[in-house]
Amino acid sequence: MDNTKLKKQLSTFRSTKGVIKNVSHEVYFELLRAWESWPGTSKEFYASIGVSKTQAAGILGKAKRLQRDGAFGTMDFNEVKVGELLPGLVASGGIAGPCNAIELNWEGGKVIRFPQVEQLIDFLKKSAA
């Protein structure tokens, strides 16, 4: 989400005295994601969302606490084991057995296989443009 949108959303929770309170969980979630992906300095981030250093500390602290408590849902890591692959898959090299390529389920039920990660990345970059 764009930081100007976050700034506007935060302003709806700002009192006449400038205190930010009763922020919704969705805004906390978006702020935390924006903070985690911010490439600049923390001072620039605070300015981009229109809060002071102390206000940001309180807001981000509460967002982190909510995340630890599971308020944003679980974002569990699901490990995929090689033994769980469907037997008999045919890889891009024509070899039967576990697939040694990256498979992408595309629109219309199409399956695209990429033997190397770099090819997948190039494909995704070109399709996003």
Side-chain angles (χ1 to χ4, degrees):
M1 179 178 279
D2 187 21
N3 284 0
T4 55
K5 290 182 184 177
L6 284 172
K7 184 176 183 177
K8 289 178 183 178
Q9 286 182 336
L10 275 177
S11 69
T12 62
F13 299 103
R14 193 180 302 267
S15 71
T16 56
K17 295 182 179 180
V19 178
I20 298 173
K21 55 183 172 180
N22 300 327
V23 179
S24 69
H25 287 223
E26 293 81 20
V27 175
Y28 278 127
F29 178 76
E30 293 299 329
L31 280 166
L32 190 58
R33 293 298 162 252
W35 169 247
E36 290 171 347
S37 63
W38 183 254
T41 64
S42 55
K43 186 176 181 178
E44 292 170 344
F45 179 75
Y46 306 150
S48 72
I49 61 172
V51 297
S52 68
K53 180 180 177 181
T54 54
Q55 286 174 322
I59 292 169
L60 291 171
K62 176 129 188 209
K64 289 177 183 180
R65 194 168 41 254
L66 287 170
Q67 184 178 22
R68 278 193 305 269
D69 295 342
F72 304 141
T74 59
M75 294 179 210
D76 295 333
F77 175 78
N78 295 325
E79 180 181 359
V80 177
K81 296 182 181 176
V82 176
E84 295 176 357
L85 292 175
L86 297 173
L89 287 177
V90 179
S92 60
I95 303 168
C99 179
N100 62 0
I102 300 167
E103 292 186 356
L104 177 64
N105 292 327
W106 199 248
E107 300 167 346
K110 296 178 184 177
V111 177
I112 305 171
R113 292 186 180 97
F114 300 93
Q116 297 174 344
V117 175
E118 292 81 16
Q119 292 174 341
L120 171 64
I121 292 171
D122 290 340
F123 174 79
L124 293 173
K125 285 180 182 176
K126 290 177 183 177
S127 64

